[in-house]
Each structure stands twice: as C-alpha cells, then as structure tokens.
Amino acid sequence: MTERIAELAAGYDESGAFPADSLKAAHEAGLLTATIGEQYGGRGARVEESARILHRIGQGDPSVALIAAMTLNTHARQAVQPHWPEELYARLVKESFERPVLVNHARVEPELGSPARGGLPSTLARRTPDGWSLSGTKRFVTGAEGLDWFLVWATTDEPEPRVGTFLVPGGSLGIEITGRWDQLGLRASGSHDVTFRDVEIPYEHVIGIGPYGASAEQDNRAGAALHLPLAALYLGVARAAQSFFHAFAHSRVPANLGHPVARTERFRRTAGEIEVLLAAAEQLVFDGAARVDSGDSAYTPEQALGARVLADRHGVRAVELAVRLLGNPGLARGNPLERHFRDIQCAPVHAPQEDISLLAIGTKALNP
C-alpha cells in the first residue's frame, strides 16, 4: 500500500489533483476505518496505532496521510466519547466500510484565522422551520473536494447565540470551493477555501453546541490524540527523505573517488546525525502515544505538545541536512528529495503552532 501511494505521489504533487486512487488504496488496506470503535464494529485503533498508520502513509504521500488523519481522528473521538447523533453515525460507519468516506472539520476563517489563537466564528447558523441554514467561508479545509461530511464550526443567530459544530453532507446545495489550495508543500491535500451559502441541514445535525463565550474557544492543551499522530505523519516524510539520501549515497560514484560517497566520512557523519534526530523523535512520539493509550495520568497535555514541537524540529532539520549535503541534485525538480523538502515545511504550520505550544508548556512549567 505504501509503495503504491508513493508511486502516485509525484503525479498528484505536480497536478494538485485530489488523490482519489491513493485514498482508495488506503481504504482497501483497512486504514481509513481503523479507528472506528469496537462498539461500532471497528478495530478500535487508538493513538499509537493511528500514529504508526500515518507514519507509514506519510512515507508514501503526506497529502494522503493528512486527509486520512482527519477522518481517523473523527472516528477516534467518537469511539472514546460518543457525540454524533446515533442514527447518523451508524450510517457513516456502514458507508465507511463499503467505500472511502472522508470527514473533516471546517474551522479556520479569513478574518478569524486559526481558532488556536482565540476567537469565535463568524460563520452563521440560522434557524429555519426544518433545521439550520449555514452561511460563511472557511479556509484550509483539507480534502475539501472529496469530503463526505464537513464539520462546520459556526455561531447561531439565536437571541442568546450559541457555538457548535454543524454536520453538513458534502453533496449539499450551496457548497462551493472559492479559493484553490496552491502551496509549496502538500500540494495534493486539497486544503481549499470553502464557502457555504444558505446550506440547509436538519435540526439534529449539530454537536458540541454551547453558550457563546470563552468556554467555546479551542483548548490547545487538549488533543494529544491528534498532535502525536500528526507529528508521526511528518516523521514519515523525513524517513522517506532519508531513504532517498541513502540510495543516492550508495549510487553516486564520483570519478575522483572511485567508490560510492556513502563510504566517505562526510556522508556517514551526516547519515548518523539524521538517524539520531529521527530515532529520538519517533521514540518521543510513539512512547507518548502508548502512554496516552495506557491511561497514564502522569503523561500531561504539555508533554504531548512538547513531543510534537521536537518531532517537527527534528524532521525539518533531518531533511534539511540531506538536501544540504546533496547540493543541487537535492533541489532538482522531479527529485523525490525536493518534494520531501517542500512537504516537511508544512509540519510546523499545523495548529497549535510552536509559539502557542511553548506558551502552554512554559505556563505549566512556571506554575506547576
């Protein structure tokens, strides 16, 4: 499965098309449904297994892994704390076992930016005789073209406004992609801007609705179940870059040397530094995920945030070292390492970003 996704990755990167065939391969391998809870007939994969799945898919194509991550996290949250309408989630599970069914949150807005930095949504949910009508624009909605469900964060128009997540079927009238994703990395992730224009949904298609206020804002300390698998995803990118670096080192035989550069001290030293960076980061991430799964109360949200900060730093640095040593060949278009270098730049971009994470960690350290 990883090899098949890797074979398709360069083409999707170049075209920016939705990676449907790669997601189909992941679904056929049982990966898109791995976190569906046992109570719903699923495997019930938890944080460590999710991290290892995304690590492997990330080696093949991190755009595919990121789209998968959002669906896996949705099922994982439902397995731990059921919050979807019962009949609706049962339908989602049934369809998910039959075909790739993709789900993702739509939270970021043009004016608000990332909710990780505070603030509440301007997307409006208006009450209608039959349910809700949603209007607003969301940014960076990963996998937008292929989503079966948008989980739209919005404010109600009630006399006393509430904030909640509204469950919007992907095929609903009034949904339009209004801004195309055209970034340096993860070019096939399809993280487009999406506008909802008077999109009608039933009244019960809402979760987590509550009073308008600070309590509705995003908790950056929560979410180890997503932070650690995301870190693993990008460590997968770094491992793919390492594999290319090793292959290049064994195949490159300069005329003045008469043997592969892999035998030189310079390449061996850099290979060692890359391995130390990645092995240490993987240990932090996978051990932390295992502690979350075991219910270890001594493992804090700040430790999970810290593991992700270090993993992102190590992954970016490892790929940078490989590119630097290869020189021009490392930055040549069409070279897998050049693509890995672009993709790994997206690691620190995910919310909460490093400064927000360090603020939370430092606050805890100063006020234990």
Side-chain angles (χ1 to χ4, degrees), residues 114-117 218 220 226-227 230 308 347-353 357:
S114 172
R117 297 185 181 276
Q218 180 168 312
N220 292 314
L226 181 60
H227 299 326
L230 272 182
R308 198 189 130 201
V349 172
H350 291 287
Q353 294 175 347
S357 296

Side-chain angles (χ1 to χ4, degrees), residues 175-357:
I175 300 176
E176 181 184 357
I177 292 175
T178 50
R180 305 296 299 188
W181 173 256
D182 188 16
Q183 304 290 100
L184 180 74
L186 267 66
R187 293 185 54 77
S189 69
S191 302
H192 306 306
D193 295 357
V194 179
T195 296
F196 301 85
R197 294 190 175 93
D198 298 318
V199 178
E200 301 279 346
I201 62 169
Y203 180 74
E204 63 274 13
H205 281 208
V206 60
I207 56 178
I209 195 165
Y212 190 102
S215 62
E217 296 189 2
Q218 180 168 312
D219 181 1
N220 292 314
R221 294 173 61 258
L226 181 60
H227 299 326
L228 296 173
L230 272 182
L233 185 163
Y234 286 102
L235 290 174
V237 177
R239 283 295 188 187
Q242 180 192 45
S243 294
F244 180 85
F245 174 77
H246 288 177
F248 178 92
H250 286 293
S251 63
R252 172 66 174 151
V253 183
N256 62 324
L257 275 182
H259 59 75
V261 294
R263 291 166 56 183
T264 66
E265 184 176 316
R266 181 166 171 249
F267 269 77
R268 285 184 287 135
R269 182 181 295 113
T270 300
E273 185 170 358
I274 290 172
E275 178 58 29
V276 166
L277 287 168
L278 298 185
E282 287 169 352
Q283 183 172 356
L284 272 175
V285 169
F286 293 131
D287 286 1
R291 291 180 68 182
V292 172
D293 286 344
S294 71
D296 184 351
S297 60
Y299 190 77
T300 66
E302 289 77 17
Q303 286 175 290
L305 287 173
R308 198 189 130 201
V309 167
L310 288 177
D312 289 349
R313 287 181 180 179
H314 284 204
V316 170
R317 177 59 176 162
V319 180
E320 181 184 78
L321 286 169
V323 170
R324 182 179 299 178
L325 198 58
L326 267 60
N328 278 330
L331 290 172
R333 292 295 300 270
N335 179 340
L337 185 56
E338 183 265 350
R339 172 163 45 86
H340 301 325
F341 178 76
R342 287 188 286 105
D343 287 340
I344 200 72
Q345 306 309 314
C346 297
V349 172
H350 291 287
Q353 294 175 347
E354 183 173 303
D355 64 316
I356 297 293
S357 296

